[in-house]
Amino acid sequence: MKERIAVYPGSFDPLTLGHIDIVNRAAKLFDRLLVAAIQNPGKTPLFSLEERLQILKSTFAEKPEIEVDTFSGLLVDYLRQKESFIVIRGLRAVSDFESELQMALMNRTLSPDTETLFLVPSARYSFLSSSMIKQVYQLGSEVPSLVTPMVDRLLKEKFGKG
Ligand code: ADP
């Protein structure tokens, strides 16, 4: 039987426990899950693409069903290249809904077979975002309960506390 492959694309700048919650839920539904960090020319990330890839690699190293990767350009082209048509996205509070719907419908317009699946994280991560995490560390505080120890350490290094 053909393997069911899903792609979870995102900036992951940086990866949070909210992203990991979605990865673990999605991995249960598919044979393989590709977690793919986006090289987005419109955004200047705090962590370089290589750093974001390294974080993903070490976080999911023990899970053979989870692969990590990077891509640039259109998601639908990346999906085609990976022989997948399933996009995983996380839905937090209502604020995610409008832009996620726009993106899902645009991807379907570009490639009609594309299906976007929205997964809901555990309630404790529902208000967690990478940008909020970055702000907290930038302002000199820390939230090690919402990121992995590696991300906690790298954020402290970035903001001069390491
Ligand atoms: P993007 O720039 O693609 O939105 P993010 O890294 O911010 O990249 O998010 C990637 C995906 O993960 C999006 O679908 C986003 O809604 C979801 N996500 C981000 N944070 C959380 C969270 N705390 N819980 C669940 N899903 C999340």
Side-chain angles (χ1 to χ4, degrees):
M1 227 171 70
K2 204 161 183 284
E3 268 189 328
R4 288 245 165 211
I5 307 168
V7 173
Y8 179 30
S11 303
F12 307 118
D13 182 38
L15 185 75
T16 69
L17 296 197
H19 295 127
I20 295 175
D21 178 293
I22 297 295
V23 168
N24 290 332
R25 287 173 202 282
K28 284 190 226 153
L29 304 175
F30 297 94
D31 301 314
R32 275 168 64 207
L33 178 69
L34 267 163
V35 184
I38 302 168
Q39 167 89 293
N40 184 343
K43 282 189 190 170
T44 311
L46 176 65
F47 290 92
S48 69
L49 194 62
E50 185 52 36
E51 286 172 319
R52 287 179 277 145
L53 181 65
Q54 287 310 322
I55 294 168
L56 291 173
K57 265 191 188 153
S58 57
T59 306
F60 301 114
E62 315 274 283
K63 304 216 164 175
E65 72 280 23
I66 299 168
E67 283 171 43
V68 302
D69 195 10
T70 62
F71 75 100
S72 57
L74 284 174
L75 176 60
V76 290
D77 291 337
Y78 180 73
L79 287 169
R80 215 169 282 133
Q81 187 194 324
K82 296 294 171 186
E83 299 186 16
S84 171
F85 62 98
I86 300 163
V87 180
I88 301 292
R89 297 287 285 177
L91 260 198
R92 290 163 291 188
V94 273
S95 51
D96 274 339
F97 184 73
E98 199 174 336
S99 59
E100 290 292 343
L101 186 67
Q102 269 183 353
M103 236 177 337
L105 290 175
M106 180 54 80
N107 284 331
R108 186 180 278 162
T109 304
L110 294 171
S111 176
D113 288 338
T114 309
E115 294 296 348
T116 304
L117 286 189
F118 295 105
L119 297 180
V120 175
S122 161
R124 64 181 181 278
Y125 303 133
S126 283
F127 291 92
L128 171 60
S129 67
S130 297
S131 49
M132 189 66 85
I133 292 286
K134 283 182 279 191
Q135 272 184 30
V136 170
Y137 281 81
Q138 187 171 18
L139 295 171
S141 194
E142 53 194 70
V143 265
S145 60
L146 297 176
V147 292
T148 63
M150 179 183 187
V151 169
D152 176 62
R153 175 173 55 76
L154 292 172
L155 279 165
K156 285 176 186 156
E157 280 172 22
K158 288 265 178 209
F159 294 115
K161 285 187 74 190

